[in-house]
Amino acid sequence: MSTSEEESALANAVGSVGAGIVAGYLSHVPHNLSTYKLMNPQKSYGTLFRQFADLSAPRYLVPQGLSSSLKPLYTAIIACIFPRGCVIRTAQ
């Protein structure tokens, strides 16, 4: 194998791994919501998303002094940006 072929194969492998990481990250929340909906078809997606956010947001990223009116919004944002279990889902 020539040097350019090796570089091309390496670039292809790195690109493939990068695409897998992005796909795993972006599919994490929809995958969890779909699973919750299958387990609880009677619940609305809004209720299921709140459940996901409460379970998924790392507690150490939610400030203790945050007002109770902002806490659900902040928790939802943190759950989507830094979801628990995302590394495992991405590795799958």
Side-chain angles (χ1 to χ4, degrees), residues 24-47:
Y25 179 78
L26 294 177
S27 69
H28 186 75
V29 173
H31 169 78
N32 280 324
L33 287 178
S34 296
T35 302
Y36 287 168
K37 188 65 171 177
L38 286 172
M39 294 186 312
N40 301 293
Q42 72 282 4
K43 291 185 179 180
S44 71
Y45 277 105
T47 300

Side-chain angles (χ1 to χ4, degrees), residues 6-91:
E6 290 173 358
E7 289 174 3
S8 177
L10 180 61
N12 189 20
V14 168
S16 181
V17 168
I21 290 170
V22 170
Y25 179 78
L26 294 177
S27 69
H28 186 75
V29 173
H31 169 78
N32 280 324
L33 287 178
S34 296
T35 302
Y36 287 168
K37 188 65 171 177
L38 286 172
M39 294 186 312
N40 301 293
Q42 72 282 4
K43 291 185 179 180
S44 71
Y45 277 105
T47 300
L48 294 172
F49 183 78
R50 282 190 295 278
Q51 179 183 349
F52 163 76
D54 290 341
L55 293 172
S56 186
R59 298 289 173 240
Y60 62 89
L61 292 177
V62 180
Q64 295 298 320
L66 192 63
S67 72
S68 59
S69 61
L70 287 178
K71 196 168 190 172
L73 175 64
Y74 188 84
T75 302
I77 291 169
I78 292 299
C80 290
I81 295 174
F82 304 111
R84 191 184 79 210
C86 188
V87 173
I88 293 168
R89 171 99 177 112
T90 300

